[in-house]
């Protein structure tokens, strides 16, 4: 018999207002699963990735945001904020895990497994 494991419960945590993060900026947020990088784009979209580049673990929260991508500060790989995948010449070379994030009434909530 194949048992289906229940989905882990999600703990939604308010980490602050969208406006606490500058446009095209990021904020590093510690979590039990590792540091996260929460990004705000120039178009006011919010994304969350684990704060480690798939190349050599560079801190993506220190990178430069362009559109819906971030340039890693160490070797300039360009990472898609929505998927965590490298783009361009480095496409297909690993992936940074994404984290669940929602904006509710101007506040950013991170969804982490309990
Ligand atoms: S560690 Fe990010 S590009 Fe090398």
């Amino acid at each position: 018999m194949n048992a289906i494991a229940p989905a882990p419960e999600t703990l939604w945590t308010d980490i602050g207002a969208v406006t606490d993060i500058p446009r095209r900026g990021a904020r590093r947020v510690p979590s039990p699963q590792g540091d996260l990088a929460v990004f705000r784009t120039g178009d006011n979209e919010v994304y969350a990735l684990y704060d480690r580049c798939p190349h050599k673990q560079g801190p993506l929260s220190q990178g430069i945001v362009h559109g819906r991508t971030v340039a890693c500060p160490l070797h300039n790989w360009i990472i898609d904020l929505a998927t965590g995948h490298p783009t361009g010449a480095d496409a297909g070379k690993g992936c940074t895990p994404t984290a669940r994030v929602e904006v509710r009434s101007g506040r950013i909530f991170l969804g982490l497994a309990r």
Side-chain angles (χ1 to χ4, degrees):
M1 180 169 95
N2 292 328
I4 297 174
E9 196 175 339
T10 300
L11 175 65
W12 289 97
T13 303
D14 182 339
I15 63 158
V18 172
T19 52
D20 290 342
I21 302 175
R23 287 180 193 267
R24 292 176 291 282
R27 177 173 160 195
R28 187 175 58 80
V29 178
S31 87
Q33 288 85 27
D35 288 347
L36 299 168
V38 181
F39 299 92
R40 180 182 176 198
T41 69
D43 290 336
N44 229 15
E45 296 174 318
V46 176
Y47 296 95
L49 300 173
Y50 282 83
D51 194 17
R52 53 179 192 263
C53 177
H55 181 218
K56 294 190 176 179
Q57 314 302 302
L60 295 176
S61 62
Q62 304 298 310
I64 296 177
V65 174
H66 304 269
R68 290 181 177 161
T69 64
V70 60
C72 178
L74 294 192
H75 311 98
N76 208 37
W77 279 27
I78 308 298
I79 309 300
D80 185 302
L81 294 175
T83 66
H85 289 284
T87 65
D90 300 307
K93 299 178 184 173
C95 179
T96 295
T98 60
R100 296 175 70 183
V101 64
E102 289 184 6
V103 176
R104 303 176 193 161
S105 301
R107 308 280 306 173
I108 300 170
F109 287 80
L110 282 176
L112 301 172
R114 281 188 203 251

mmCIF file of all heavy atoms in Angstrom, residues 67-100:
data_model
loop_
_atom_site.group_PDB
_atom_site.id
_atom_site.type_symbol
_atom_site.label_atom_id
_atom_site.label_comp_id
_atom_site.label_asym_id
_atom_site.label_seq_id
_atom_site.Cartn_x
_atom_site.Cartn_y
_atom_site.Cartn_z
ATOM 1 N N GLY A 67 15.186 43.864 -13.581
ATOM 2 C CA GLY A 67 13.912 43.246 -13.962
ATOM 3 C C GLY A 67 13.553 42.161 -12.964
ATOM 4 O O GLY A 67 13.490 42.414 -11.762
ATOM 5 N N ARG A 68 13.359 40.915 -13.464
ATOM 6 C CA ARG A 68 13.037 39.794 -12.579
ATOM 7 C C ARG A 68 14.233 38.871 -12.396
ATOM 8 O O ARG A 68 14.083 37.658 -12.227
ATOM 9 C CB ARG A 68 11.873 39.008 -13.154
ATOM 10 C CG ARG A 68 10.575 39.777 -13.089
ATOM 11 C CD ARG A 68 9.437 38.956 -13.647
ATOM 12 N NE ARG A 68 8.185 39.679 -13.517
ATOM 13 C CZ ARG A 68 7.112 39.389 -14.207
ATOM 14 N NH1 ARG A 68 7.118 38.399 -15.082
ATOM 15 N NH2 ARG A 68 6.012 40.094 -14.038
ATOM 16 N N THR A 69 15.431 39.434 -12.433
ATOM 17 C CA THR A 69 16.634 38.640 -12.211
ATOM 18 C C THR A 69 17.532 39.346 -11.205
ATOM 19 O O THR A 69 17.375 40.541 -10.934
ATOM 20 C CB THR A 69 17.435 38.432 -13.520
ATOM 21 O OG1 THR A 69 17.902 39.704 -13.985
ATOM 22 C CG2 THR A 69 16.609 37.744 -14.587
ATOM 23 N N VAL A 70 18.494 38.567 -10.668
ATOM 24 C CA VAL A 70 19.519 39.156 -9.808
ATOM 25 C C VAL A 70 20.871 38.663 -10.311
ATOM 26 O O VAL A 70 21.026 37.503 -10.680
ATOM 27 C CB VAL A 70 19.304 38.783 -8.321
ATOM 28 C CG1 VAL A 70 19.339 37.293 -8.073
ATOM 29 C CG2 VAL A 70 20.311 39.517 -7.432
ATOM 30 N N ALA A 71 21.845 39.577 -10.335
ATOM 31 C CA ALA A 71 23.211 39.229 -10.724
ATOM 32 C C ALA A 71 23.983 38.882 -9.458
ATOM 33 O O ALA A 71 24.081 39.692 -8.537
ATOM 34 C CB ALA A 71 23.868 40.397 -11.449
ATOM 35 N N CYS A 72 24.514 37.678 -9.399
ATOM 36 C CA CYS A 72 25.281 37.257 -8.223
ATOM 37 C C CYS A 72 26.504 38.155 -8.075
ATOM 38 O O CYS A 72 27.207 38.436 -9.062
ATOM 39 C CB CYS A 72 25.694 35.795 -8.376
ATOM 40 S SG CYS A 72 26.690 35.224 -6.989
ATOM 41 N N PRO A 73 26.808 38.588 -6.837
ATOM 42 C CA PRO A 73 27.929 39.508 -6.655
ATOM 43 C C PRO A 73 29.299 38.851 -6.832
ATOM 44 O O PRO A 73 30.297 39.561 -6.976
ATOM 45 C CB PRO A 73 27.748 40.008 -5.215
ATOM 46 C CG PRO A 73 27.005 38.910 -4.527
ATOM 47 C CD PRO A 73 26.098 38.329 -5.581
ATOM 48 N N LEU A 74 29.373 37.527 -6.838
ATOM 49 C CA LEU A 74 30.692 36.901 -6.917
ATOM 50 C C LEU A 74 31.195 36.734 -8.353
ATOM 51 O O LEU A 74 32.316 37.136 -8.670
ATOM 52 C CB LEU A 74 30.700 35.554 -6.192
ATOM 53 C CG LEU A 74 30.490 35.613 -4.679
ATOM 54 C CD1 LEU A 74 30.803 34.258 -4.034
ATOM 55 C CD2 LEU A 74 31.331 36.697 -4.026
ATOM 56 N N HIS A 75 30.384 36.114 -9.207
ATOM 57 C CA HIS A 75 30.862 35.853 -10.575
ATOM 58 C C HIS A 75 29.837 36.245 -11.629
ATOM 59 O O HIS A 75 29.923 35.811 -12.762
ATOM 60 C CB HIS A 75 31.230 34.372 -10.729
ATOM 61 C CG HIS A 75 32.097 33.844 -9.638
ATOM 62 N ND1 HIS A 75 31.579 33.139 -8.560
ATOM 63 C CD2 HIS A 75 33.425 33.959 -9.415
ATOM 64 C CE1 HIS A 75 32.567 32.820 -7.722
ATOM 65 N NE2 HIS A 75 33.693 33.315 -8.218
ATOM 66 N N ASN A 76 28.837 36.999 -11.186
ATOM 67 C CA ASN A 76 27.881 37.618 -12.109
ATOM 68 C C ASN A 76 26.958 36.651 -12.845
ATOM 69 O O ASN A 76 26.461 36.985 -13.919
ATOM 70 C CB ASN A 76 28.629 38.513 -13.117
ATOM 71 C CG ASN A 76 27.747 39.637 -13.612
ATOM 72 O OD1 ASN A 76 26.948 40.187 -12.847
ATOM 73 N ND2 ASN A 76 27.867 39.976 -14.879
ATOM 74 N N TRP A 77 26.714 35.470 -12.314
ATOM 75 C CA TRP A 77 25.653 34.654 -12.901
ATOM 76 C C TRP A 77 24.343 35.418 -12.718
ATOM 77 O O TRP A 77 24.142 36.090 -11.693
ATOM 78 C CB TRP A 77 25.548 33.312 -12.193
ATOM 79 C CG TRP A 77 26.544 32.277 -12.623
ATOM 80 C CD1 TRP A 77 27.784 32.483 -13.144
ATOM 81 C CD2 TRP A 77 26.384 30.862 -12.521
ATOM 82 N NE1 TRP A 77 28.407 31.289 -13.375
ATOM 83 C CE2 TRP A 77 27.568 30.275 -13.004
ATOM 84 C CE3 TRP A 77 25.367 30.039 -12.062
ATOM 85 C CZ2 TRP A 77 27.747 28.891 -13.051
ATOM 86 C CZ3 TRP A 77 25.542 28.669 -12.113
ATOM 87 C CH2 TRP A 77 26.721 28.096 -12.608
ATOM 88 N N ILE A 78 23.443 35.260 -13.672
ATOM 89 C CA ILE A 78 22.153 35.940 -13.615
ATOM 90 C C ILE A 78 21.096 34.911 -13.244
ATOM 91 O O ILE A 78 20.876 33.935 -13.974
ATOM 92 C CB ILE A 78 21.814 36.594 -14.979
ATOM 93 C CG1 ILE A 78 22.976 37.482 -15.462
ATOM 94 C CG2 ILE A 78 20.503 37.369 -14.884
ATOM 95 C CD1 ILE A 78 23.298 38.644 -14.549
ATOM 96 N N ILE A 79 20.449 35.127 -12.102
ATOM 97 C CA ILE A 79 19.497 34.159 -11.561
ATOM 98 C C ILE A 79 18.073 34.706 -11.702
ATOM 99 O O ILE A 79 17.797 35.849 -11.318
ATOM 100 C CB ILE A 79 19.798 33.888 -10.069
ATOM 101 C CG1 ILE A 79 21.280 33.535 -9.853
ATOM 102 C CG2 ILE A 79 18.867 32.804 -9.521
ATOM 103 C CD1 ILE A 79 21.759 32.324 -10.590
ATOM 104 N N ASP A 80 17.186 33.880 -12.245
ATOM 105 C CA ASP A 80 15.767 34.241 -12.379
ATOM 106 C C ASP A 80 15.129 34.240 -10.987
ATOM 107 O O ASP A 80 15.180 33.233 -10.267
ATOM 108 C CB ASP A 80 15.097 33.208 -13.295
ATOM 109 C CG ASP A 80 13.652 33.566 -13.597
ATOM 110 O OD1 ASP A 80 12.859 33.701 -12.642
ATOM 111 O OD2 ASP A 80 13.321 33.694 -14.776
ATOM 112 N N LEU A 81 14.527 35.343 -10.606
ATOM 113 C CA LEU A 81 13.955 35.444 -9.259
ATOM 114 C C LEU A 81 12.747 34.531 -9.066
ATOM 115 O O LEU A 81 12.479 34.075 -7.960
ATOM 116 C CB LEU A 81 13.550 36.890 -8.965
ATOM 117 C CG LEU A 81 14.695 37.898 -8.871
ATOM 118 C CD1 LEU A 81 14.138 39.310 -8.688
ATOM 119 C CD2 LEU A 81 15.639 37.550 -7.725
ATOM 120 N N ALA A 82 12.006 34.267 -10.121
ATOM 121 C CA ALA A 82 10.792 33.451 -9.990
ATOM 122 C C ALA A 82 11.107 31.966 -9.878
ATOM 123 O O ALA A 82 10.388 31.227 -9.203
ATOM 124 C CB ALA A 82 9.860 33.700 -11.167
ATOM 125 N N THR A 83 12.178 31.522 -10.536
ATOM 126 C CA THR A 83 12.458 30.081 -10.582
ATOM 127 C C THR A 83 13.732 29.671 -9.854
ATOM 128 O O THR A 83 13.909 28.489 -9.542
ATOM 129 C CB THR A 83 12.602 29.608 -12.039
ATOM 130 O OG1 THR A 83 13.776 30.218 -12.611
ATOM 131 C CG2 THR A 83 11.375 29.972 -12.862
ATOM 132 N N GLY A 84 14.647 30.599 -9.641
ATOM 133 C CA GLY A 84 15.939 30.273 -9.047
ATOM 134 C C GLY A 84 16.931 29.685 -10.038
ATOM 135 O O GLY A 84 18.043 29.312 -9.660
ATOM 136 N N HIS A 85 16.550 29.614 -11.315
ATOM 137 C CA HIS A 85 17.431 29.035 -12.327
ATOM 138 C C HIS A 85 18.364 30.089 -12.904
ATOM 139 O O HIS A 85 17.927 31.226 -13.176
ATOM 140 C CB HIS A 85 16.623 28.431 -13.475
ATOM 141 C CG HIS A 85 15.899 27.186 -13.103
ATOM 142 N ND1 HIS A 85 16.520 25.968 -12.971
ATOM 143 C CD2 HIS A 85 14.595 26.975 -12.810
ATOM 144 C CE1 HIS A 85 15.633 25.057 -12.621
ATOM 145 N NE2 HIS A 85 14.453 25.640 -12.510
ATOM 146 N N PRO A 86 19.629 29.728 -13.158
ATOM 147 C CA PRO A 86 20.512 30.642 -13.878
ATOM 148 C C PRO A 86 19.993 30.851 -15.298
ATOM 149 O O PRO A 86 19.352 29.964 -15.874
ATOM 150 C CB PRO A 86 21.858 29.914 -13.907
ATOM 151 C CG PRO A 86 21.751 28.821 -12.899
ATOM 152 C CD PRO A 86 20.303 28.494 -12.777
ATOM 153 N N THR A 87 20.279 32.000 -15.852
ATOM 154 C CA THR A 87 19.840 32.323 -17.206
ATOM 155 C C THR A 87 21.057 32.500 -18.108
ATOM 156 O O THR A 87 22.198 32.477 -17.647
ATOM 157 C CB THR A 87 18.999 33.612 -17.223
ATOM 158 O OG1 THR A 87 19.840 34.695 -16.843
ATOM 159 C CG2 THR A 87 17.823 33.522 -16.266
ATOM 160 N N GLY A 88 20.806 32.707 -19.377
ATOM 161 C CA GLY A 88 21.872 32.980 -20.343
ATOM 162 C C GLY A 88 22.840 31.815 -20.473
ATOM 163 O O GLY A 88 22.435 30.653 -20.487
ATOM 164 N N ALA A 89 24.134 32.134 -20.535
ATOM 165 C CA ALA A 89 25.158 31.112 -20.774
ATOM 166 C C ALA A 89 25.222 30.073 -19.656
ATOM 167 O O ALA A 89 25.741 28.978 -19.854
ATOM 168 C CB ALA A 89 26.523 31.782 -20.926
ATOM 169 N N ASP A 90 24.714 30.405 -18.478
ATOM 170 C CA ASP A 90 24.780 29.481 -17.339
ATOM 171 C C ASP A 90 23.480 28.713 -17.116
ATOM 172 O O ASP A 90 23.348 27.997 -16.117
ATOM 173 C CB ASP A 90 25.166 30.265 -16.079
ATOM 174 C CG ASP A 90 26.512 30.930 -16.254
ATOM 175 O OD1 ASP A 90 27.474 30.219 -16.605
ATOM 176 O OD2 ASP A 90 26.597 32.162 -16.100
ATOM 177 N N ALA A 91 22.540 28.844 -18.032
ATOM 178 C CA ALA A 91 21.265 28.121 -17.920
ATOM 179 C C ALA A 91 21.526 26.622 -17.810
ATOM 180 O O ALA A 91 22.421 26.083 -18.471
ATOM 181 C CB ALA A 91 20.392 28.415 -19.135
ATOM 182 N N GLY A 92 20.774 25.977 -16.945
ATOM 183 C CA GLY A 92 20.889 24.529 -16.790
ATOM 184 C C GLY A 92 21.951 24.087 -15.812
ATOM 185 O O GLY A 92 22.129 22.892 -15.581
ATOM 186 N N LYS A 93 22.654 25.050 -15.209
ATOM 187 C CA LYS A 93 23.734 24.695 -14.274
ATOM 188 C C LYS A 93 23.256 24.864 -12.828
ATOM 189 O O LYS A 93 23.702 25.748 -12.115
ATOM 190 C CB LYS A 93 24.955 25.577 -14.514
ATOM 191 C CG LYS A 93 25.550 25.458 -15.910
ATOM 192 C CD LYS A 93 26.723 26.422 -16.058
ATOM 193 C CE LYS A 93 27.291 26.427 -17.456
ATOM 194 N NZ LYS A 93 28.314 27.478 -17.612
ATOM 195 N N GLY A 94 22.330 24.042 -12.422
ATOM 196 C CA GLY A 94 21.868 24.087 -11.037
ATOM 197 C C GLY A 94 20.692 25.015 -10.845
ATOM 198 O O GLY A 94 20.132 25.555 -11.806
ATOM 199 N N CYS A 95 20.328 25.197 -9.596
ATOM 200 C CA CYS A 95 19.147 25.991 -9.263
ATOM 201 C C CYS A 95 19.219 26.390 -7.794
ATOM 202 O O CYS A 95 19.660 25.615 -6.953
ATOM 203 C CB CYS A 95 17.898 25.156 -9.512
ATOM 204 S SG CYS A 95 16.359 25.989 -9.115
ATOM 205 N N THR A 96 18.783 27.589 -7.499
ATOM 206 C CA THR A 96 18.616 28.029 -6.116
ATOM 207 C C THR A 96 17.171 27.771 -5.720
ATOM 208 O O THR A 96 16.262 28.188 -6.448
ATOM 209 C CB THR A 96 18.919 29.535 -5.998
ATOM 210 O OG1 THR A 96 20.291 29.742 -6.294
ATOM 211 C CG2 THR A 96 18.614 30.048 -4.603
ATOM 212 N N PRO A 97 16.916 27.112 -4.601
ATOM 213 C CA PRO A 97 15.520 26.884 -4.204
ATOM 214 C C PRO A 97 14.784 28.199 -3.964
ATOM 215 O O PRO A 97 15.354 29.159 -3.439
ATOM 216 C CB PRO A 97 15.636 26.076 -2.911
ATOM 217 C CG PRO A 97 17.013 25.500 -2.924
ATOM 218 C CD PRO A 97 17.860 26.484 -3.669
ATOM 219 N N THR A 98 13.540 28.211 -4.355
ATOM 220 C CA THR A 98 12.693 29.370 -4.081
ATOM 221 C C THR A 98 11.961 29.148 -2.756
ATOM 222 O O THR A 98 11.895 28.041 -2.247
ATOM 223 C CB THR A 98 11.652 29.573 -5.198
ATOM 224 O OG1 THR A 98 10.838 28.405 -5.278
ATOM 225 C CG2 THR A 98 12.324 29.827 -6.535
ATOM 226 N N ALA A 99 11.421 30.218 -2.216
ATOM 227 C CA ALA A 99 10.608 30.122 -0.999
ATOM 228 C C ALA A 99 9.257 30.757 -1.293
ATOM 229 O O ALA A 99 9.136 31.628 -2.163
ATOM 230 C CB ALA A 99 11.297 30.832 0.160
ATOM 231 N N ARG A 100 8.241 30.308 -0.569
ATOM 232 C CA ARG A 100 6.900 30.857 -0.767
ATOM 233 C C ARG A 100 6.830 32.242 -0.157
ATOM 234 O O ARG A 100 7.273 32.463 0.980
ATOM 235 C CB ARG A 100 5.863 29.933 -0.134
ATOM 236 C CG ARG A 100 5.827 28.568 -0.795
ATOM 237 C CD ARG A 100 4.889 27.633 -0.086
ATOM 238 N NE ARG A 100 3.503 28.043 -0.303
ATOM 239 C CZ ARG A 100 2.461 27.436 0.257
ATOM 240 N NH1 ARG A 100 2.646 26.421 1.077
ATOM 241 N NH2 ARG A 100 1.248 27.845 0.003
#
